């Protein structure tokens, strides 16, 4: 069940990605419409984070290409925001909440420029939106897991992007905070922004998403939520790896085969 | 101009120069510290030696304008080697660092020995690079290294927001269009230059100390990078002043080690005395809490027994007599306890305070058995501690969440007033 769309915000063509020659994503090919909140779901190790990182240009691709707003990512970086997993950084880093949120403005500033008054206002507004304004001067080391996640979200809001890619924004967050975050994301969607969210919880997924990408090393589905969220497709996604793919990937790693012929 | 004046200005220049050298090293060291690459400076320092020897063999000159480029070249090569090893093999970062450090240093020593044995006319003085000596820096050296240090500081100022973002979250930096490849090159390059500069002051062996110790000391006083960088620079600058001055006054004592000794003293003082993070302030907080717990337990005891003599209290409290006496004295001072005919009793406010602790105890027992589903006969121990820890805000939250229950799991009444 792979439904391609007209005028996509994001296009992924035949994407293959490998770590140390071991393919972790095989020939992923889909497109996403604008103004949706799309969930990316799949079991552990199915390549969800890898997909996001590939879209953000953080990994070198073995094959395929990606376009965002019909352009190369480099041309539209200011319109794209990436929220990494919160475990990916050192939360003992000497910085305050506000310092981190201000980083969301740096991409707009360019070299040698300091943040100005407008940037301060945007940061302040982002802090209010995630209800962290009272903790703006709190050091990172003193934040709870949910607060850390809100800091990352505020940083993304400060980027004022049109496309948001979020890697497990609800992990380590209590139910009440998750509700606040979801409402915030829905507000962004209402403003016509597009959100792509890596998510774990099958129970809450129907409440959150209007598009679903199912992944397990290969693309299982990419379609409007109701069409993709079926017992058969979920069984295909979560019912275990394709044995042949795993065996071949292990072999390629062992023998150091590349996924594509060198040019 | 008489001789005394010339010496005077030269001393001032040396002092000023060594402050600049160590401070700029500490600024770069702060970035190494927050990137958790504390040992990279050590590896680079050892890798400078072959570069210096090669540059000398090539040109026969000892001018810093010749030796420094050689040093930077092999220093930078060592960083590259380490990164390549980590990227393309299964060897982890620390091991790669160890390998690179020793290989480069060994090669350097071979070259140095060759130079010494083959009678290069002016080889004496090359080993200054190995051990460093800020106090013996000459004016031309100071000028060239001072310029390098200034360049380092200017670059940090210019790229501060990029360095901050890259150090905290390299992936994010990349996604907003900062090239992490270039930033890594630049930061590594600056680290190499900082090490070349720092070596002038303290030498190869002590290099890691001037790079990392100021940052580590500064970290315990602040939780913001700009403040940390300034503090680190100030710490190492003042260590340089102290080290150079002592070594000038008591001639014969080596400058580099003196600087490091002073720096280490500053670090020890920081770890001990820094507010919040310091050992002593943490200790003091613990003691404060212990005294509070002691007082509150005495309050409870007197609440249950109405009136008790000192001896009866000793029997019922498993504490040293000394601290019981102290606790009672504190309670008397707060006018929560009064003494009548050698027996201790609660005053009205004291009784109120005791009731609050008992309320907290029973509320927590109720919470544990109703919300956490712990068996009622297992909740007492935990509540014995939590009654002292719960803050008024938590107290209000607990009352609200539980809906002011009347009785605890053991059917004792919960006193609200």
């Amino acid at each position: 069940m792979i439904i391609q769309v007209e005028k996509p915000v994001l296009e992924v063509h035949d994407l293959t990605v490998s770590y140390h020659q071991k393919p972790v994503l095989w020939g992923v090919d889909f497109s996403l419409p604008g103004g949706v909140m799309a969930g990316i779901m799949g079991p552990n190790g199915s390549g969800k984070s890898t997909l996001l990182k590939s879209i953000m240009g953080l990994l070198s691709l073995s094959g395929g290409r990606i376009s965002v707003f019909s352009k190369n990512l480099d041309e539209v970086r200011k319109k794209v925001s990436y929220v990494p997993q919160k475990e990916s950084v050192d939360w003992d880093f000497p910085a305050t909440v506000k310092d981190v949120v201000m980083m969301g403005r740096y991409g707009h500033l360019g070299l040698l420029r300091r943040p100005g008054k407008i940037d301060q206002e945007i940061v302040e507004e982002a802090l209010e939106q995630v209800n962290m304004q009272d903790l703006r001067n709190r050091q990172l080391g003193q934040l709870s897991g949910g607060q850390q996640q809100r800091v990352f979200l505020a940083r993304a809001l400060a980027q004022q992007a049109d496309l948001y890619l979020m890697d497990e924004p609800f992990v380590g967050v209590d139910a009440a905070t998750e509700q606040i975050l979801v409402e915030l994301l829905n507000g962004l969607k209402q403003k016509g922004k597009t959100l792509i969210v890596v998510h774990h919880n099958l129970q809450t997924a129907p409440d959150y998403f209007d598009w679903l990408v199912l992944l397990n090393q290969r693309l299982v589905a990419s379609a409007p939520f109701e069409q993709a969220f079926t017992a058969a497709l979920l069984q295909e996604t979560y019912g275990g790896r394709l044995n042949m793919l795993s065996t071949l990937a292990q072999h390629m790693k062992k023998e150091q085969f590349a996924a594509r012929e060198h040019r | 101009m008489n001789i005394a004046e010339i010496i005077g200005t030269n001393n001032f220049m040396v002092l000023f120069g060594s402050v600049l050298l160590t401070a700029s090293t500490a600024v770069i060291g702060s970035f190494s510290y927050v990137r958790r690459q504390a040992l990279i400076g050590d590896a680079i320092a050892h890798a400078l030696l072959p570069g210096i020897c090669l540059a000398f063999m090539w040109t026969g000159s000892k001018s810093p304008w010749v030796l420094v480029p050689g040093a930077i070249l092999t220093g930078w090569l060592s960083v590259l080697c380490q990164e390549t090893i980590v990227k393309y093999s299964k060897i982890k970062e620390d091991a790669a660092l160890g390998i690179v450090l020793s290989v480069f240093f060994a090669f350097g020593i071979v070259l140095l020995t060759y130079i010494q044995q083959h009678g290069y006319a002016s080889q004496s003085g090359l080993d200054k690079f190995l051990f460093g000596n800020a106090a013996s820096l000459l004016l031309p050296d100071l000028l060239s290294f001072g310029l390098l240090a200034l360049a380092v500081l200017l670059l940090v100022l210019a790229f501060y927001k990029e360095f901050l973002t890259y150090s905290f979250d390299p992936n994010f930096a990349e996604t907003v269009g900062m090239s992490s490849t270039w930033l890594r090159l630049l930061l590594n390059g600056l680290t190499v230059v900082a090490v070349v500069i720092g070596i002038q002051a303290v030498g190869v062996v002590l290099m890691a100390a001037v790079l990392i110790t100021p940052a580590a000391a500064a970290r315990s006083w602040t939780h913001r990078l700009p403040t940390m960088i300034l503090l680190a620079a100030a710490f190492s600058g003042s260590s340089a002043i102290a080290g150079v001055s002592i070594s000038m006054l008591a001639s014969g004592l080596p400058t580099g080690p003196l600087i490091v000794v002073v720096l280490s003293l500053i670090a020890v003082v920081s770890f001990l005395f820094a507010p919040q993070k310091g050992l002593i302030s943490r200790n003091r907080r613990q003691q404060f809490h212990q005294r509070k717990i002691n007082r509150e337990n005495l309050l409870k005891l007197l609440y249950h027994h109405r009136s008790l003599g000192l001896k009866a209290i000793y029997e019922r409290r498993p504490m040293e007599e000394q601290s019981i006496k102290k606790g009672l004295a504190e309670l008397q001072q707060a006018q929560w306890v009064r003494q009548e005919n050698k027996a201790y009793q609660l005053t009205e406010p004291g009784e109120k305070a005791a009731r609050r602790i008992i309320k907290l105890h029973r509320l927590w027992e109720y919470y544990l058995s109703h919300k956490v589903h712990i068996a009622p006969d297992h909740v007492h121990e935990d509540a014995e501690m939590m009654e002292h820890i719960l803050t008024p805000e938590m107290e209000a939250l607990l009352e609200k969440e539980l809906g002011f229950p009347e009785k605890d799991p053991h059917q004792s009444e919960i006193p609200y007033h």
Side-chain angles (χ1 to χ4, degrees), chain A residues 72-235:
Chain A
N72 192 320
L73 177 69
D74 277 324
E75 298 172 56
V76 288
R77 274 194 195 281
K78 286 182 189 169
K79 291 163 77 176
V80 187
S81 163
Y82 169 61
V83 180
Q85 285 185 18
K86 75 173 164 42
E87 283 73 26
S88 65
V89 302
D90 168 20
W91 287 95
D92 210 25
F93 192 90
T96 62
V97 167
K98 202 179 152 191
D99 290 334
V100 174
V101 179
M102 187 55 90
M103 289 177 195
R105 298 305 304 156
Y106 288 173
H108 295 253
L109 283 175
L111 277 180
L112 303 177
R113 295 279 298 277
R114 309 261 150 202
K117 205 176 156 207
I118 294 172
D119 300 304
Q120 299 282 357
E121 278 166 20
I122 292 170
V123 164
E124 207 50 44
E125 200 180 314
L127 282 168
E128 269 167 41
Q129 278 178 288
V130 298
N131 203 12
M132 289 283 283
Q133 66 272 33
D134 295 334
L135 302 179
R136 62 167 79 78
N137 293 321
R138 181 70 61 91
Q139 67 188 86
L140 296 186
Q142 291 179 347
L143 299 178
S144 69
Q147 289 166 339
Q148 291 171 351
Q149 203 75 68
R150 282 193 275 165
V151 171
F152 263 11
L153 199 59
R155 182 176 70 176
L157 291 173
Q159 288 182 273
Q160 301 192 317
D162 293 326
L163 172 63
Y164 292 85
L165 293 98
M166 307 184 165
D167 204 343
E168 308 202 1
F170 306 131
V171 161
V173 169
D174 63 275
T177 313
E178 180 164 338
Q179 265 320 303
I180 297 171
L181 297 185
V182 168
E183 271 163 41
L184 199 68
L185 300 190
N186 274 325
L188 290 173
K189 190 178 81 181
Q190 245 115 60
K191 285 187 208 155
K193 320 267 185 187
T194 310
L195 301 109
I196 305 174
V197 179
V198 171
H199 191 59
H200 259 314
N201 190 341
L202 285 169
Q203 245 111 52
T204 51
D207 301 333
Y208 297 170
F209 304 123
D210 31 30
W211 193 278
L212 185 62
V213 175
L214 288 174
L215 214 59
N216 191 352
Q217 295 183 297
R218 83 282 183 197
L219 185 69
V220 177
S222 167
F225 190 84
E226 294 73 25
Q227 294 177 46
F229 199 71
T230 63
L233 287 172
L234 289 175
Q235 170 63 29

Side-chain angles (χ1 to χ4, degrees), chain A residues 92 94-95 99 110 114 155, chain B residues 157 161 165 169 219 223-225:
Chain A
D92 210 25
D99 290 334
R114 309 261 150 202
R155 182 176 70 176
Chain B
L157 212 59
K161 69 177 190 301
T165 312
D169 193 345
R219 181 68 180 94
H223 55 263
R224 290 200 67 215
L225 189 58

Side-chain angles (χ1 to χ4, degrees), chain B residues 390-411:
Chain B
L390 290 164
T391 65
E393 292 84 42
M394 298 177 191
E395 178 183 346
L397 197 72
L398 207 55
E399 287 176 342
K400 206 177 128 204
E401 202 175 316
L402 299 177
F404 295 90
E406 281 177 19
K407 299 213 160 126
D408 76 1
H410 314 109
Q411 300 310 312

